[in-house]
Amino acid sequence: MSVTVRFKFMRTGPVRYLGHLDMLRYFQKAVMKAELDAKYTEGFHPHQIMSFAYPLGVGMETYGDYMDLEMNACEDAEALMGRLNAVMHEGIKVTGAVILREKALNAMAAVAEADYELVVTGDGKVSGDSEKKNAETVLTAAINELMARSEITGVKSGKNIRPGIRILECRRCKDYKGSNDEGADDYELRLVMRLSSGSKLNVRPADVFDKLCGTEAVNESGIRFKVTHLYRMEIYGNDKDGRIVALNDKTAE
Amino acid sequence: MDFSDRQTALSHDILMSIDKPSRYTGGEPNSVMKDDADIRFVMCFPDVYEIGMSHIGMQILYGMFNSMPDVWCERLFSPWTDLDRIMRERNIPLFSLESQQPVKTADFLGVTLQYEMCYTNILQIFELSGIPFYSADRTEDDPIVIGGGPCVYNPEPIADYFDIFYIGEGEVRYRELFDLYKRFKAENKSREEYLREASHIEGIYVPSLYEVTYDENGRFTEMTPRYEDVPARVKKQLVKNMDESFYPTAPVVPFIRATQDRAVIEVQRGCIRNCRFCQAGQIYKPVRERSPEQLKELAREILKNTGYEELSLSSLSTSDYTHLKELLDYLMEYCGEKKINISLPSLRIDAFSLDVMSKVQDIKKSSLTFAPEAGSQRMRDVINKGLTEEDILHGSEMAFKGGWNKVKLYFMLGLPFEEESDAVAIAELCNKVAGVYFDTVPKSERQGSVQITASSSFFVPKPFTAFQWAEMNTPEQFVEKAKITKAAVRAQLNQKRISYHYHDTGTTIIEGIFARGDRKVAKAIEYAYRHGAIFDAWTETFSYEGWIKAFEETGVDYKDYIFRVRDDDENFPWDFIDSGVNKSFLLREWHNAAKAQKSTNCRNQCMGCGAGAFGCGVCVE
Ligand code: SF4
Ligand code: SF4
């Protein structure tokens, strides 16, 4: 008998430079330290049965990633979260835990879409308020230009990624959560995206950003935009009717 | 305290453009952050992060220093060539991992010297930090630069680069150095005054306070203190009671995979065996054990505080640990329950070790390891390696019966008094091991077949060994011997079952020069560094020709350090170190080697090497 517990976690700050395998190793150690009743593989080198919804790229921060862990037994998922957080280190924190129902898809297979926020600046040109306003205008035009196309070829995949761009907006943001703070001048510009993810059509935020930088609107402006922070905000799956729900939603497939 | 908003010294752009950026961002579990401390000590391992973080000695001192409220110890490793280039282009000063602040503003820069081939990396650290290469050029704005580790048993080739060398085990004298530093700083004393006073502390060697003389051929004659109050000899420091010394129960756990990605307990320090080529065996004398009770507790604590899924035992020769069975029985049970793997060091192959190995490893995947070091019994007597052919063949037989079929054998070539037949004997020994397999395992039970992997490294004579008088082979001689062995392997009956490799000769020669060179070598190291030498321990960055040119251009007669037998009464640049082991004992051993006469080991019978004066460990058992 075993149950799978799905943990939601965040990672911010300098730990964002860890690779996917480093995160795996980090969590395995955390499970050890927290002495969770994890299930192990058989054999001479037993290891935990752990998987992630979506590998976190080097440099990416997250508020909504998921890790599945197989356990021998688990009554109270929330309690596990507390035990894990007690042994966590700077920048990584578990923010939720649910016991998966028996037939649920594994995290990786369940992924359908993901939200991103990219903090953008441009080579020294986007610091003052008027410059930011200008940059915002440029980016908005670029978005309109891009979204008007029916076909956008992905850099690596060669596939048409246009249908996979579900939301693409430029917002003024003051805090991490993307609230639109009109009027404040200590805001930063963020590109907010919801992109198709998973095996069918996987759109990477960096691809969309590159495409934006290649638009006429950006070219004409002469601004060289760059990304200073890349956040994944949430990962979604589908419920049985095909609606988009967060991966830790009880109704996720 | 929450440090998740810690600023990194490198910008996001830079971090995203280099290999393994988390080598440089710090913040690993159990790394120590402090707000404020009187002394900021940057501890440097001059190689890449993954290698440095695998070193237990650094973890011991890091933990010990940080347990002192007034000291903040931070870590520093060599930036890889990709980051090196960027830091030079953009004038970014080298920084320590924890605070991400410049190294130059630290109070101390401690460099651990584990192998000679890291010497150019030290200059990289200095240059990127903006610290002058030579002690003589440093000012009150520079940290005090201290070297420690096994290479300090001949620090002379790099003596001009260091303000202080600490001779021996770090646990003992650092507190005194720190207290003195605080006192002198409060009294506004100068760097020079501090170094002079520090030289009075036992184990502390301040190179600038000594005068070196050479004869008309430029050969070292003697080294004398410049002042009367500076001691002529510097005494090795060692921990007398291992159970009472500091051991880190919460070592820093790297995020990225380090070379040693596991919890480590140090079961003992030193070795009883007296192999004549081995420096570690002499400089860590006498062997001192930790109690099994303490080791059990350390293992539990460390595993709990790190979450490691693997535990290993560290020592020079774990099979000699007197409580090994008790310890392993306990650990196997404890780790078994917790699903923690035990990685065994290479134990002497016998019924006990095979039993243990069969419990913790997959026999089909694991291999037996023997380190006979020499192929013939005569050569093993020369080097005083206790392992006999009988041990190897019998051990192999037991193992083959138990289901193993992979054997690794480690040898050296270029040993003193070696003859052609000794190189051939390596092949013959491998053949015999393979033969044992065919005699022992009936055809019907053979799964796959026996695989023998033999490799030979080339011998480097080291200070404080019986072979410190010996001559090194030239690269041509090394290769010739390796070819003899290789041809002999091909001539064996079971040659198809044997694969043979040998190491690089170029690094061996340079290592030999650094091992027994004198102060003149420093300018050649600087020359080589300025002409691109770095990460010399890595074959992809090493250039032998570049090094030879460096010696020639700087007028360093490198051949004189290595390609001659030294006279019995020659003074060595490292003689000023009192390692506890007498030179007369080593000389006796050198003469015994010439006669192919074996000696014994410390547990069988004391040989009166001199280390008994420390009054601890095996000498007083
Ligand atoms: S057994 Fe020999 S080679 Fe190994 S550490 Fe001891 S003295 Fe050195
Ligand atoms: S004094 Fe004797 S027992 Fe002690 S280290 Fe030397 S030889 Fe070994």
Side-chain angles (χ1 to χ4, degrees):
Chain A
M1 262 312 288
S2 67
V3 289
T4 306
V5 179
R6 178 163 295 167
F7 295 95
K8 183 175 189 177
F9 66 92
M10 55 181 274
R11 104 170 170 184
T12 57
V15 281
R16 67 173 146 151
Y17 298 104
L18 302 194
H20 171 59
L21 286 176
D22 303 328
M23 284 302 278
L24 177 78
R25 287 153 25 81
Y26 175 82
F27 272 110
Q28 283 171 341
K29 292 189 174 93
V31 168
M32 271 290 198
K33 283 198 273 188
E35 302 187 324
L36 304 192
D37 187 14
K39 194 178 158 84
Y40 280 79
T41 57
E42 301 291 321
F44 273 101
H45 297 290
H47 52 84
Q48 296 163 16
I49 306 166
M50 181 183 279
S51 62
F52 289 79
Y54 199 162
L56 263 173
V58 171
M60 194 187 285
E61 292 168 85
T62 184
Y63 286 94
D65 267 56
Y66 295 91
M67 180 269 281
D68 287 359
L69 178 69
E70 275 198 48
M71 312 260 314
N72 289 319
C74 170
E75 308 253 295
D76 179 357
E78 296 268 326
L80 296 185
M81 177 171 121
R83 279 165 65 185
L84 270 179
N85 279 332
V87 298
M88 285 282 157
H89 198 64
E90 66 164 51
I92 304 176
K93 206 176 144 198
V94 177
T95 54
V98 291
I99 298 176
L100 282 196
R101 61 190 168 75
E102 238 172 77
K103 295 230 172 63
L105 290 173
N106 73 47
M108 180 120 50
V111 176
E113 295 184 5
D115 282 348
Y116 297 94
E117 293 190 10
L118 288 66
V119 180
V120 286
T121 63
D123 283 359
K125 287 188 182 162
V126 192
S127 51
D129 193 42
S130 63
E131 287 154 336
K132 266 194 253 181
K133 284 201 174 114
N134 178 39
E136 188 182 7
T137 314
V138 170
L139 284 173
T140 310
I143 289 169
N144 290 338
E145 189 185 328
L146 200 65
M147 295 302 275
R149 295 187 203 160
S150 58
E151 197 154 328
I152 303 170
T153 316
V155 183
K156 266 196 193 147
S157 63
K159 284 188 194 167
N160 179 14
I161 60 171
R162 175 62 190 84
I165 307 176
R166 322 298 289 219
I167 297 175
L168 178 56
E169 287 168 16
C170 178
R171 286 192 206 154
R172 298 177 180 190
C173 298
K174 208 172 178 181
D175 64 1
Y176 296 131
K177 278 294 169 199
S179 63
N180 212 337
D181 240 345
E182 214 74 49
D185 62 356
D186 58 345
Y187 61 89
E188 53 193 20
L189 289 179
R190 290 191 187 207
L191 291 167
V192 176
M193 306 179 185
R194 179 169 297 177
L195 304 174
S196 287
S197 305
S199 51
K200 272 181 239 127
L201 179 59
N202 195 52
V203 184
R204 300 179 322 130
D207 277 0
V208 177
F209 178 74
D210 286 347
K211 292 290 168 190
L212 277 176
C213 292
T215 54
E216 270 173 38
V218 172
N219 281 335
E220 275 164 21
S221 75
I223 304 175
R224 291 208 9 231
F225 286 103
K226 62 179 189 181
V227 176
T228 59
H229 284 271
L230 167 55
Y231 299 100
R232 185 144 59 209
M233 304 306 292
E234 184 58 273
I235 302 176
Y236 303 94
N238 293 315
D239 71 4
K240 65 180 192 324
D241 301 321
R243 276 184 302 246
I244 288 293
V245 289
L247 270 197
N248 58 350
D249 193 288
K250 290 244 178 321
T251 62
E253 281 281 300
Chain B
M1 242 173 291
D2 179 22
F3 291 100
S4 57
D5 280 337
R6 248 170 4 105
Q7 289 297 310
T8 52
L10 301 172
S11 70
H12 181 64
D13 281 357
I14 294 175
L15 286 164
M16 291 304 285
S17 70
I18 55 177
D19 189 31
K20 300 189 186 147
S22 47
R23 280 169 171 171
Y24 311 105
T25 47
E28 306 93 322
N30 299 335
S31 60
V32 178
M33 295 296 289
K34 292 190 180 183
D35 268 340
D36 192 28
D38 296 338
I39 293 175
R40 183 167 152 242
F41 190 108
V42 173
M43 187 171 327
C44 168
F45 192 109
D47 207 323
V48 291
Y49 178 94
E50 297 91 303
I51 293 183
M53 281 304 292
S54 304
H55 186 248
I56 185 65
M58 183 163 178
Q59 293 266 15
I60 293 177
L61 291 187
Y62 181 84
M64 186 180 97
F65 289 176
N66 278 321
S67 74
M68 303 173 182
D70 55 345
V71 180
W72 186 12
C73 181
E74 302 193 54
R75 292 160 301 145
L76 171 65
F77 304 94
S78 306
W80 187 242
T81 49
D82 55 354
L83 179 59
D84 176 284
R85 202 167 39 243
I86 293 172
M87 293 181 88
R88 281 168 207 271
E89 275 165 20
R90 308 196 193 175
N91 271 318
I92 301 169
L94 189 59
F95 54 92
S96 48
L97 288 191
E98 279 76 359
S99 67
Q100 300 274 308
Q101 294 299 308
V103 173
K104 189 166 167 101
T105 57
D107 298 289
F108 289 92
L109 170 60
V111 185
T112 169
L113 303 162
Q114 296 297 320
Y115 31 87
E116 292 85 355
M117 298 316 284
C118 71
Y119 288 173
T120 47
N121 291 18
I122 303 170
L123 298 185
Q124 177 210 30
I125 297 281
F126 291 159
E127 187 166 34
L128 293 178
S129 303
I131 298 171
F133 286 0
Y134 293 94
S135 172
D137 301 330
R138 293 188 193 127
T139 68
E140 305 296 329
D141 294 336
D142 295 299
I144 304 280
V145 180
I146 305 190
C151 294
V152 303
Y153 287 89
N154 177 21
E156 292 308 280
I158 48 173
D160 292 341
Y161 303 147
F162 282 81
D163 303 323
I164 293 177
F165 287 104
Y166 180 117
I167 313 287
E169 296 168 1
E171 286 97 332
V172 191
R173 295 284 170 189
Y174 268 109
R175 192 61 246 181
E176 280 166 67
L177 272 176
F178 295 155
D179 288 338
L180 183 68
Y181 183 82
K182 280 169 70 174
R183 183 154 65 83
F184 271 41
K185 219 173 153 187
E187 292 168 11
N188 254 321
K189 295 245 174 75
S190 70
R191 182 183 188 90
E192 213 181 319
E193 288 168 297
Y194 174 70
L195 294 179
R196 178 76 167 269
E197 188 61 31
S199 77
H200 301 157
I201 300 175
E202 227 183 58
I204 298 304
Y205 166 48
V206 178
S208 57
L209 301 179
Y210 296 79
E211 184 91 55
V212 182
T213 50
Y214 303 93
D215 68 12
E216 64 282 7
N217 300 317
R219 197 175 276 174
F220 174 91
T221 47
E222 63 172 347
M223 185 167 98
T224 45
R226 288 180 201 271
Y227 309 98
E228 274 195 356
D229 58 306
V230 176
R233 300 201 76 200
V234 181
K235 194 172 175 190
K236 164 183 113 171
Q237 301 303 298
L238 91 174
V239 170
K240 298 211 165 139
N241 183 333
M242 292 298 286
D243 279 355
E244 284 169 12
S245 76
F246 180 90
Y247 198 80
T249 50
V252 181
V253 183
F255 287 123
I256 60 173
R257 187 185 286 281
T259 318
Q260 297 279 334
D261 183 34
R262 50 184 79 98
V264 180
I265 49 173
E266 183 193 32
V267 296
Q268 61 186 356
R269 212 171 272 180
C271 178
I272 58 170
R273 303 246 146 216
N274 289 296
C275 302
R276 291 180 181 131
F277 57 85
C278 176
Q279 188 188 43
Q282 297 306 319
I283 61 178
Y284 296 112
K285 263 178 162 181
V287 74
R288 290 144 291 152
E289 299 191 334
R290 280 185 201 276
S291 68
E293 293 72 35
Q294 194 201 33
L295 288 167
K296 291 174 199 172
E297 193 184 319
L298 285 175
R300 286 193 306 265
E301 282 287 300
I302 295 169
L303 290 168
K304 195 175 98 216
N305 293 332
T306 58
Y308 273 120
E309 295 181 297
E310 189 168 328
L311 172 72
S312 88
L313 313 185
S314 148
S315 90
L316 291 170
S317 169
T318 308
S319 288
D320 292 325
Y321 179 58
T322 48
H323 309 281
L324 187 62
K325 187 174 179 322
E326 175 189 343
L327 180 65
L328 280 177
D329 283 347
Y330 175 83
L331 291 177
M332 281 193 291
E333 189 178 333
Y334 182 79
C335 294
E337 271 168 28
K338 298 206 171 284
K339 312 283 185 194
I340 291 164
N341 299 315
I342 297 184
S343 91
L344 289 177
S346 39
L347 295 173
R348 202 168 315 125
I349 304 298
D350 55 23
F352 166 69
S353 64
L354 288 173
D355 178 53
V356 173
M357 283 162 68
S358 69
K359 286 180 188 147
V360 304
Q361 302 172 341
D362 186 349
I363 293 175
K364 282 191 218 68
K365 289 190 189 134
S366 63
S367 50
L368 303 178
T369 305
F370 294 101
E373 307 294 357
S376 68
Q377 191 54 49
R378 187 191 70 88
M379 258 335 274
R380 286 194 294 274
D381 292 346
V382 167
I383 64 179
N384 196 36
K385 188 90 219 173
L387 195 67
T388 64
E389 186 167 305
E390 166 66 20
D391 294 334
I392 296 167
L393 299 184
H394 183 65
S396 302
E397 185 184 332
M398 277 193 293
F400 294 148
K401 281 184 182 149
W404 275 271
N405 59 7
K406 294 192 191 76
V407 184
K408 281 189 197 150
L409 294 150
Y410 293 106
F411 297 98
M412 276 189 289
L413 281 172
L415 288 160
F417 316 112
E418 190 175 65
E419 289 160 16
E420 200 179 310
S421 59
D422 299 309
V424 173
I426 290 177
E428 291 167 350
L429 182 59
C430 295
N431 188 56
K432 282 182 199 158
V433 174
V436 169
Y437 179 83
F438 294 115
D439 294 344
T440 313
V441 186
K443 259 207 176 94
S444 56
E445 287 168 31
R446 289 179 200 162
Q447 300 183 331
S449 186
V450 63
Q451 288 171 34
I452 315 268
T453 314
S455 64
S456 55
S457 58
F458 296 114
F459 171 64
V460 178
K462 293 275 165 111
F464 292 100
T465 68
F467 291 166
Q468 61 181 347
W469 287 271
E471 169 183 29
M472 234 178 126
N473 281 183
T474 63
E476 297 74 32
Q477 288 170 316
F478 279 142
V479 172
E480 193 189 327
K481 284 179 176 167
K483 285 196 173 141
I484 292 171
T485 305
K486 202 163 183 99
V489 166
R490 290 294 142 256
Q492 302 299 314
L493 182 63
N494 300 313
Q495 57 121 335
K496 287 221 171 78
R497 314 302 336 148
I498 308 169
S499 72
Y500 172 69
H501 313 274
Y502 57 92
H503 287 205
D504 180 49
T505 58
T507 41
T508 311
I509 297 291
I510 306 305
E511 187 186 327
I513 298 164
F514 293 166
R516 292 187 299 161
D518 55 34
R519 280 195 189 185
K520 297 194 296 292
V521 174
K523 27 183 209 307
I525 298 175
E526 184 190 353
Y527 181 97
Y529 172 74
R530 298 226 184 260
H531 289 80
I534 194 159
F535 288 106
D536 290 299
W538 298 65
T539 38
E540 72 244 49
T541 39
F542 177 79
S543 158
Y544 181 63
E545 294 68 32
W547 273 103
I548 297 304
K549 179 147 189 281
F551 292 117
E552 284 166 356
E553 290 292 321
T554 51
V556 176
D557 180 7
Y558 69 95
K559 293 182 181 162
D560 197 60
Y561 300 130
I562 50 175
F563 295 144
R564 67 184 173 91
V565 180
R566 300 197 182 200
D567 291 337
D568 282 1
D569 60 356
E570 181 168 332
N571 285 338
F572 298 139
W574 55 91
D575 279 346
F576 75 94
I577 294 174
D578 174 6
S579 77
V581 175
N582 298 328
K583 197 173 179 184
S584 57
F585 163 78
L586 295 173
L587 189 65
R588 196 163 80 222
E589 282 292 281
W590 172 232
H591 292 156
N592 285 339
K595 291 179 274 182
Q597 208 166 82
K598 274 198 294 193
S599 293
T600 173
N601 71 53
C602 295
R603 268 217 181 88
N604 269 345
Q605 197 197 352
C606 171
M607 293 182 284
C609 76
F614 290 117
C616 61
V618 66
C619 316
V620 296
E621 265 171 22

